[in-house]
Amino acid sequence: MKVFPVLFVLVLGVGVLGAQSPERSGGEGFSITPPPRGYGSYSRDPAANRHRAELSWHYLETDLYTLQGGSLYITSRLFRRSWGGLSLQYGGFYLQGEETAAIMTKKDGSWGSDQDEETDLRVSGFGVAPTLEVVLWGSTEAGSERSRRAQLLGFAGFDGGHQFFSQDLGEGWENYYSRYAAPLAGVQLHLPLGGLLISPFGMYKHLYGQSLYNGTTHDFDIALASGGVDLLWRGISVSGIVQALDDRSDRTYTLSVGFSF
């Protein structure tokens, strides 16, 4: 029995157990980073396609705000073996939209919420995610025949990043930011169909972080579940991803175009 697959299964189990909790302790934060899917085992030349760039459009809808915008993330393979490899994902995003904010007014010497109003909101950020990828089932032999066989891959790692918020409250823009670290784990299935690779995937991620506003710190603790499918042809991919936040109706929808180089 190989050591690396056994170690990976243990890490995967810890990551999934941590990500299944839907509890949230307050504060504000989210992750726009796409799942770090892997295609290293499908390259016939070990030196080729070491990097993969992914340009995405995101639509984020929650109970409080609606945002949309774009991101650019790059996944680089640090090393590769027949059983899997290690990669590093990095990049950033920019979103804009509206948030439902409470308008505060002063009555009888005290502040209170008078009404809700739609305010402009802008969010930008960046993230870095080292990830271990392992072939759980399928061929790990060298040679061109490997690219024609189905495989089940697993991946596990950590995602960390910062997000910067700007909100127009009518008397100028208010700024605050959040930071997070998140263990992640998931699986991906490669299904070759001629020259086309169909690759569905799923991922759990658990965000632990803080948001800081006017000197006040709020902790947040958020579980995320993502699922989607990639269509890969000659190093060019088209992806659709849906991400669910906590146990509520919040959703993030992502459409991506990627290429290897």
Side-chain angles (χ1 to χ4, degrees):
M1 183 177 293
K2 297 182 179 180
V3 175
F4 282 107
V6 173
L7 177 62
F8 176 81
V9 170
L10 293 176
V11 174
L12 179 67
V14 172
V16 170
L17 288 175
Q20 286 177 334
S21 171
E23 298 300 323
R24 186 174 185 179
S25 59
E28 184 168 2
F30 58 88
S31 172
I32 209 73
T33 310
R37 287 95 67 206
Y39 296 99
S41 61
Y42 271 76
S43 174
R44 299 185 183 186
D45 181 359
N49 300 332
R50 294 186 58 188
H51 309 281
R52 181 169 181 253
E54 192 165 15
L55 183 64
S56 305
W57 172 83
H58 308 273
Y59 178 79
L60 175 63
E61 184 176 10
T62 75
D63 296 334
L64 297 178
Y65 48 80
T66 301
L67 297 167
Q68 60 181 324
S71 70
L72 175 62
Y73 281 86
I74 297 175
T75 302
S76 299
R77 291 206 314 274
L78 303 182
F79 74 84
R80 169 189 161 191
R81 298 292 185 271
S82 61
W83 52 263
L86 179 67
S87 64
L88 181 68
Q89 185 183 68
Y90 47 94
F93 67 90
Y94 176 82
L95 308 174
Q96 61 182 10
E98 294 182 337
E99 179 177 9
T100 302
I103 305 302
M104 306 300 290
T105 59
K106 193 173 185 179
K107 296 179 180 180
D108 300 326
S110 61
W111 289 93
S113 176
D114 184 40
Q115 60 181 339
D116 290 342
E117 184 175 293
E118 297 292 335
T119 64
D120 292 334
L121 178 65
R122 301 171 183 171
V123 187
S124 60
F126 62 89
V128 178
T131 308
L132 176 67
E133 174 191 322
V134 169
V135 178
L136 301 177
W137 171 83
S139 174
T140 60
E141 299 300 324
S144 61
E145 288 300 318
R146 177 175 51 191
S147 63
R148 301 188 181 96
R149 298 177 182 175
Q151 281 187 339
L152 178 64
L153 306 179
F155 56 88
F158 291 89
D159 181 17
H162 288 259
Q163 298 146 1
F164 305 91
F165 299 79
S166 295
Q167 187 175 13
D168 185 4
L169 298 179
E171 298 180 354
W173 288 84
E174 294 286 341
N175 300 310
Y176 55 101
Y177 82 98
S178 67
R179 58 196 179 196
Y180 70 90
L184 62 89
V187 292
Q188 179 179 19
L189 180 63
H190 289 332
L191 298 172
L193 183 62
L196 178 68
L197 180 66
I198 303 173
S199 186
F201 55 86
M203 183 187 75
Y204 276 110
K205 181 188 295 188
H206 202 124
L207 271 66
Y208 300 95
Q210 293 180 327
S211 61
L212 292 87
Y213 177 71
N214 283 343
T216 302
T217 301
H218 299 279
D219 295 331
F220 57 84
D221 179 355
I222 306 172
L224 301 173
S226 300
V229 62
D230 286 355
L231 302 177
L232 185 70
W233 182 74
R234 295 187 177 181
I236 299 176
S237 65
V238 178
S239 308
I241 305 169
V242 177
Q243 177 176 271
L245 173 64
D246 288 342
D247 57 349
R248 303 172 304 178
S249 60
D250 301 350
R251 295 289 186 272
T252 301
Y253 303 94
T254 300
L255 294 176
S256 303
V257 175
F259 60 93
S260 300
F261 60 98

